[in-house]
């Protein structure tokens, strides 16, 4: 039985219908073939549906259980349930006409009684994915292994006090990386959800960081051994489920990668909700990753400003997204990365088609924001004032200072010259904020 045929109301892929589209699901801004800066919008945004939130999450929260009652969550044959879930997943990919998806090993296939059984289950579902992908458009943006749900990982995977847990995690990652490679994955993600601590009273920080550095190095070595071309991505998040996670934020991850000599092979997968949990803005995290040369991909979602946890809601905030895309497009756009919907519908959104509305709404918000970003870049709205603000550093004196041709005494002597009296200039913040708004408000044809 093909469970997907009757799961969603919609049967035809959601189409682009422009700003005046009617009530049903339609793209108002995401015109995938529209050319922007020499590439199709679809090739810029590289949307990916994520398996875990959209297909695996039952709608529970810490105070209540499942609300969605998905048919594939109920049954006695775990592999049959996994196949039914895959049918619905590929139907969702087809209806959204997305170019990519993402999954953890345990999202796709049930864990067995041993690692060998789990790996066999994963490979069997990977065969099914491969067969489905042969006649579908969807490709794999990235794969990953879940090293945080099972109780064996309660004290961490790579950072566990027990090397045998580290070894088990290595077995899981080898299988997930090889499956990702087989399915043509563009990246491989390591999110260290349990790589942190609950209390320093039982934690050897130095040792755990060394273990984590070694684990990531092992994954890099194996990626080269099997010829996997994509980058390994680590994912900054400050806390939750741990009290403190070692991948705290972009700056911390950069320091970690530098210390363990991993900068060549590892980039960052940045998520809005994790940025705000770390006390940063999404814009800050992306701008810093771009500045440090470690930007990889985005988990596109949003957190709630009033809740201090990872609510992983669908991204809908156009001005916020516009600034993030401006940062990325200004550095040439995505390479192997993309926009992964690490986002879940709210637990009251119990209709199957809520999944369609969520993705379509967020894809439109991203498209709208991306067009505004491209428009800002074309007009030099932010880049021109920025260049002007720093122009002194491109002059002969600025270059001499940065080039090491001036000592502290040289600078002091110059500052002591009679009449040396540099004047401050306006930072023009409100003017720039208004400029951003003007670009966000412009309509699709560039007018308005
Ligand atoms: C959880 C993480 C997770 C990773 C993949 O907070 O964002 O979903 O993206 O393991
Ligand atoms: Ni994520
Ligand atoms: Ni999250």
């Amino acid at each position: 039985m093909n469970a997907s045929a009757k799961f969603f109301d919609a049967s035809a892929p959601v189409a682009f219908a422009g700003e005046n589209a009617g009530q049903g699901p339609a793209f108002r801004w995401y015109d995938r073939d529209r050319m922007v800066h020499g590439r199709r919008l679809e090739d810029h945004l590289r949307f990916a549906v994520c398996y875990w939130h959209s297909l695996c999450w039952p709608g529970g929260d810490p105070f209540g259980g499942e609300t969605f009652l998905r048919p594939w969550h109920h049954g006695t044959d775990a592999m049959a349930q996994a196949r039914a879930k895959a049918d619905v997943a590929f139907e969702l990919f087809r209806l959204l006409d997305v170019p990519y998806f993402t999954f953890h090993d345990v999202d796709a296939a049930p864990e067995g009684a041993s690692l060998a059984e789990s790996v066999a289950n994963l490979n069997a579902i990977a065969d099914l994915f491969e067969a489905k992908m042969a006649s579908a458009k969807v490709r794999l943006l990235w794969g990953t292994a879940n090293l945080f749900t099972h109780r064996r990982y309660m004290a961490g995977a790579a950072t566990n006090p027990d090397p045998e847990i580290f070894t088990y995690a290595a077995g899981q990652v080898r299988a997930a990386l090889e499956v990702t490679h087989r399915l043509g994955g563009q990246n491989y993600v390591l999110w260290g959800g349990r790589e942190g601590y609950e209390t320093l009273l039982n934690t050897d920080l130095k040792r755990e960081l060394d273990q984590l550095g070694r684990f990531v190095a092992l994954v890099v070595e194996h990626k080269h051994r099997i010829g996997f071309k994509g980058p390994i991505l680590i994912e900054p998040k400050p806390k939750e489920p741990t009290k403190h996670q070692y991948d705290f934020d972009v700056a911390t991850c950069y320091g970690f990668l530098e210390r363990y000599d991993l900068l060549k092979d590892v980039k960052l997968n940045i998520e809005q909700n994790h940025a705000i949990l770390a006390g940063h803005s999404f814009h800050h995290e992306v701008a810093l990753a771009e500045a440090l040369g470690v930007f990889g991909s985005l988990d596109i979602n949003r957190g709630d400003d009033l809740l201090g946890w990872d609510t992983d809601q669908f991204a809908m905030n156009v001005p916020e997204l516009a600034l993030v895309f401006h940062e990325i497009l200004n550095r040439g756009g995505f390479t192997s990365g993309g926009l992964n919907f690490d986002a879940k519908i709210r637990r009251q959104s119990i209709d199957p088609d809520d999944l369609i509305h969520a993705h379509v709404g967020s894809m439109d918000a991203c498209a709208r924001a991306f067009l505004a970003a491209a428009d800002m870049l074309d007009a030099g709205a932010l880049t021109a004032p920025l260049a002007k603000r720093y122009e002194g550093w491109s002059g002969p004196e600025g270059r001499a200072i940065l080039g090491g041709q001036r000592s502290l005494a040289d600078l002091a002597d110059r500052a002591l010259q009679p009449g040396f009296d540099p004047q401050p200039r306006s930072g023009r913040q409100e003017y720039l904020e208004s400029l951003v708004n003007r670009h966000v408000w412009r309509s699709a044809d560039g007018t308005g």
Side-chain angles (χ1 to χ4, degrees):
M1 183 199 66
N2 185 338
S4 61
K6 54 180 170 45
F7 187 68
F8 297 107
D9 287 343
S11 55
V14 179
F16 172 70
E19 281 175 84
N20 301 318
Q23 286 306 303
F27 293 114
R28 289 160 173 77
W29 294 95
Y30 180 56
D31 177 5
R32 58 173 58 74
D33 293 318
R34 178 168 173 168
M35 294 299 288
V36 184
H37 285 213
R39 270 159 101 180
R40 294 166 62 247
L41 205 42
E42 179 175 83
D43 301 330
H44 275 293
L45 295 171
R46 298 164 60 85
F47 286 121
V49 169
C50 101
Y51 224 85
W52 54 103
H53 287 321
S54 289
L55 282 311
C56 306
W57 182 56
D61 70 9
F63 300 94
E66 75 172 316
T67 56
F68 295 154
L69 307 178
R70 303 297 193 216
W72 58 90
H73 286 157
H74 300 272
T76 48
D77 180 346
M79 281 303 277
Q81 289 169 249
R83 283 190 288 271
K85 180 165 59 175
D87 288 342
V88 176
F90 276 76
E91 176 65 356
L92 181 62
F93 307 156
R94 186 186 72 83
L95 291 173
L96 295 171
D97 198 8
V98 281
Y100 293 105
F101 72 112
T102 55
F103 68 93
H104 298 85
D105 49 0
V106 304
D107 306 332
E111 288 197 75
S114 63
L115 181 62
E117 243 183 62
S118 300
V119 171
N121 290 349
L122 178 62
N123 276 302
I125 296 294
D127 291 344
L128 178 65
F129 283 180
E130 211 168 16
K132 286 178 177 292
M133 287 166 76
S135 58
K137 157 177 169 170
V138 76
R139 293 290 168 263
L140 184 61
L141 187 65
W142 48 261
T144 185
N146 177 325
L147 306 178
F148 43 88
T149 300
H150 195 281
R151 68 190 287 280
R152 83 173 60 83
Y153 295 127
M154 68 183 186
T159 60
N160 202 284
D162 179 354
E164 302 207 331
I165 304 279
F166 182 107
T167 302
Y168 200 103
Q172 236 184 290
V173 169
R174 184 181 77 169
L177 177 58
E178 290 181 357
V179 158
T180 300
H181 186 37
R182 161 148 81 100
L183 296 175
Q186 309 257 310
N187 311 266
Y188 183 82
V189 166
L190 288 169
W191 175 57
R194 302 260 174 211
E195 315 297 12
Y197 62 79
E198 300 303 328
T199 171
L200 282 173
L201 299 182
N202 63 14
T203 303
D204 184 335
L205 269 178
K206 159 96 174 70
R207 184 188 290 278
E208 292 202 359
L209 281 166
D210 287 349
Q211 287 174 213
L212 188 57
R214 188 66 206 126
F215 193 87
V216 179
L218 288 170
V219 179
V220 167
E221 284 163 28
H222 195 70
K223 153 199 135 102
H224 289 302
R225 190 163 304 142
I226 63 174
F228 181 75
K229 297 277 176 281
I232 303 297
L233 303 176
I234 61 172
E235 187 171 321
K237 181 172 179 178
K239 56 190 168 194
E240 192 197 282
T242 56
K243 174 195 172 85
H244 175 87
Q245 190 178 313
Y246 297 132
D247 295 334
F248 194 90
D249 60 3
V250 167
T252 309
C253 286
Y254 181 83
F256 169 83
L257 294 177
E258 176 151 71
R259 177 173 168 87
Y260 294 99
D261 197 19
L262 295 162
L263 280 168
K264 199 157 52 65
D265 297 282
V266 184
K267 303 256 176 292
L268 303 185
N269 183 41
I270 298 169
E271 177 170 322
Q272 193 273 4
N273 207 156
H274 301 175
I276 65 171
L277 285 174
H280 301 305
S281 66
F282 194 20
H283 188 188
H284 167 90
E285 288 291 79
V286 171
L288 185 59
E290 288 283 17
L292 297 173
V294 289
F295 177 76
S297 197
L298 292 183
D299 270 2
I300 197 78
N301 65 17
R302 78 178 201 277
D304 187 296
D305 290 339
L306 303 182
L307 295 174
W309 70 85
D310 199 12
T311 60
D312 288 341
Q313 293 166 241
F314 275 83
M316 299 285 181
N317 184 338
V318 175
E320 176 184 52
L321 294 166
L323 293 175
V324 164
F325 295 150
H326 182 268
E327 219 51 69
I328 295 168
L329 195 55
N330 193 24
R331 306 250 176 191
F334 287 101
T335 52
S336 69
L339 300 180
N340 171 45
F341 283 112
D342 191 358
K344 54 188 192 235
I345 48 177
R346 299 300 84 195
R347 77 191 286 266
Q348 294 182 54
S349 301
I350 58 176
D351 294 344
D353 281 40
D354 284 317
L355 276 172
I356 308 272
H357 289 297
H359 283 92
V360 169
S362 194
M363 288 162 81
D364 255 350
C366 290
R368 183 68 193 89
F370 191 84
L371 293 172
D375 198 29
M376 281 193 276
L377 272 176
D378 290 342
L382 297 175
T383 46
L386 200 69
K388 180 107 191 85
R389 185 162 148 90
Y390 291 92
E391 71 187 350
W393 288 101
S394 320
E397 187 59 20
R399 289 206 309 272
I401 294 171
L402 290 182
Q405 285 123 31
R406 297 285 183 271
S407 67
L408 195 69
D410 293 337
L411 297 177
D413 288 346
R414 180 154 180 251
L416 287 166
Q417 296 280 312
F420 188 85
D421 184 19
Q423 294 301 307
R425 284 177 298 157
S426 172
R428 307 178 89 199
Q429 181 169 335
E430 298 75 14
Y431 165 76
L432 295 169
E433 287 169 341
S434 317
L435 261 184
V436 171
N437 275 349
R438 263 152 51 194
H439 287 276
V440 168
W441 293 335
R442 274 161 77 126
S443 56
D445 58 5
T447 60

